Amino acid sequence: MSKRIFLSCDPGIDDMAAILFALADRDVELLGVGAVAGNVSVETAWTNARFACDLVGAAATPCYAGSSGPLLRDQIFGAHKALGAFRDHLSDLEDSLPEARLIAIAPAQTAAVAMAHAITDAAVTKRPLTLVATGPLTDVALAIRLAGSEACADGIATIVAMGGAFRALGNRAPYAEMNMLSDPHAARMVAESGLPLVLFPLDVTWQCRLTGPDLDRIECEAGLIGQIFARLFRASDRENPVLYGGPGGPVHDLLTVIWLVAPELFILRRARISVSTGHELAGHTSRQLPKAKERDNAGCKLPHCIADGVESDAVRALFLDRLKTFSRASDSNNSDQTRITTNREEDPQ
């Protein structure tokens, strides 16, 4: 059975990786994409999210503009804000890109409202969905409040989020990871909502990096989509061997969607997650771990899960394989004159 997801993101090249994987994998049904301010402004996030969908022929995927800033704190942006709009880095490929959409940015909060409607529909139809958050949790927190606790309990299978740091400390601040720092109040609301939460912190995402040879393979084997992704990843300048303990750059957000279809590639630990909202340590995450007798998670009643380990080689191989599906679909389109947008579509009868 397909995992039905609503993705809240702030693209960001690693958000783009999550979108592409969700659109390529047969076991994921992407109900909608919400763009929230975080790495970049909400206008740029929405433009980039829409571009990622259009690039692979998934123009029908609903894409909503969301919150333009956090619930309470002042807006901050990610270290990769300078990457800006994806299309600006691809001018020499313009003839191969989908036509730019001349659609005005939707009103703020639309993504949260759409997400809340998806939750209530899932509750009514008894088909729970998964909320995946790869940016600040602003819209997720608002959607939970709008939908109400009863609908959330019935309509949300789990919330999967990239964020936080424990042993790895922080990236945007010495004590905090970017998504938690961007909107600590929203993150705290989600952590304290009582809903199942699976968190992918820097401790695990730093373990899975794309190196130069990885990008070369993506560029060589995954067609135009691979070429575009590799170029944008290189443009984001994510290398920091001293910080990450080796070559390459993390592709943080991708891990959230890969876990949905290949959980065997990850080690998860039960925990209780807390998020600080105080001025001096805003966004700092802490955790309560199981007692020694609960080390295997059996019988542990702590409400959250934290990803603690990852088979990085397998994740990279799976990502490349899914990117190649777009190239295979394009080849089939050219030979059979049959339009195929994602690998979830059925063969025409």
Side-chain angles (χ1 to χ4, degrees):
M1 182 178 295
S2 296
K3 298 284 187 179
R4 304 171 68 247
I5 74 170
F6 197 111
L7 174 62
S8 177
C9 58
D10 59 340
I13 184 60
D14 44 344
D15 302 83
M16 181 183 185
I19 293 171
L20 293 176
F21 188 92
L23 289 170
D25 194 277
R26 291 182 181 273
D27 293 327
V28 176
E29 180 183 354
L30 185 57
L31 303 178
V33 177
V36 63
N39 276 318
V40 291
S41 69
V42 67
E43 292 84 4
T44 303
W46 183 84
T47 298
N48 285 346
R50 184 70 273 164
F51 174 80
C53 293
D54 290 353
L55 185 63
V56 297
T61 300
C63 192
Y64 307 93
S67 298
S68 59
L71 298 179
L72 295 176
R73 70 157 298 155
D74 293 336
Q75 177 72 65
I76 61 171
F77 290 108
H80 299 289
K81 183 188 177 186
L83 183 64
F86 294 156
R87 202 178 194 102
D88 292 346
H89 300 267
L90 305 167
S91 57
D92 59 316
L93 298 175
E94 188 63 39
D95 291 344
S96 301
L97 301 179
E99 185 176 352
R101 293 193 182 197
L102 302 177
I103 302 177
I105 192 73
Q109 308 305 323
T110 301
V113 171
M115 204 182 309
H117 287 161
I119 293 168
T120 55
D121 288 346
V124 170
T125 59
K126 302 187 185 305
R127 298 180 64 203
L129 57 80
T130 296
L131 299 183
V132 178
T134 61
L137 286 158
T138 313
D139 285 335
V140 174
L142 289 171
I144 290 172
R145 180 63 60 88
L146 289 169
S149 57
E150 185 175 347
C152 287
D154 294 336
I156 297 176
T158 190
I159 300 170
V160 183
M162 186 275 136
F166 302 102
R167 296 184 304 273
L169 298 181
N171 56 352
R172 190 64 173 84
Y175 53 83
E177 178 273 332
M178 171 62 192
N179 288 339
M180 298 297 180
L181 182 67
S182 292
D183 198 337
H185 300 89
R188 185 166 185 168
M189 287 174 62
V190 172
E192 295 179 355
S193 67
L195 297 166
L197 172 64
V198 179
L199 190 70
F200 286 77
L202 296 180
D203 307 77
V204 71
T205 64
W206 282 0
Q207 297 175 35
C208 188
R209 303 182 300 273
L210 293 180
T211 64
D214 292 323
L215 295 173
D216 290 342
R217 285 196 66 191
I218 288 172
E219 200 167 29
C220 179
E221 298 179 26
L224 178 64
I225 307 302
Q227 295 169 33
I228 290 171
F229 178 83
R231 179 183 297 191
L232 293 173
F233 197 90
R234 290 188 175 103
S236 69
D237 189 22
R238 306 174 78 85
E239 289 267 354
N240 194 331
V242 174
L243 181 62
Y244 304 140
V251 61
H252 308 282
D253 300 333
L254 174 64
L255 272 59
T256 59
V257 289
I258 287 189
W259 174 76
L260 291 173
V261 301
E264 68 278 4
L265 302 182
F266 298 86
I267 297 172
L268 265 58
R269 304 294 188 199
R270 281 280 173 188
R272 184 186 303 276
I273 301 163
S274 299
V275 183
S276 174
T277 56
H279 177 70
E280 292 185 355
L281 290 176
H284 174 70
T285 48
S286 57
R287 60 186 178 178
Q288 174 191 350
L289 295 172
K291 298 177 181 178
K293 64 181 180 181
E294 301 170 338
R295 198 174 303 164
D296 62 355
N297 289 331
C300 179
K301 296 182 180 179
L302 294 174
H304 307 133
C305 285
I306 298 174
D308 197 47
V310 57
E311 295 185 22
S312 299
D313 290 344
V315 166
R316 289 191 290 265
L318 187 57
F319 180 52
L320 173 60
D321 179 75
R322 295 304 184 268
L323 287 184
K324 289 163 69 173
T325 64
F326 296 122
S327 180
R328 291 193 290 266
S330 177
D331 292 343
S332 177
N333 184 31
N334 291 335
S335 61
D336 300 336
Q337 298 300 308
T338 300
R339 185 173 183 272
I340 301 177
T341 58
T342 79
N343 74 342
R344 287 194 308 275
E345 291 183 338
E346 299 293 334
D347 291 335
Q349 300 298 317

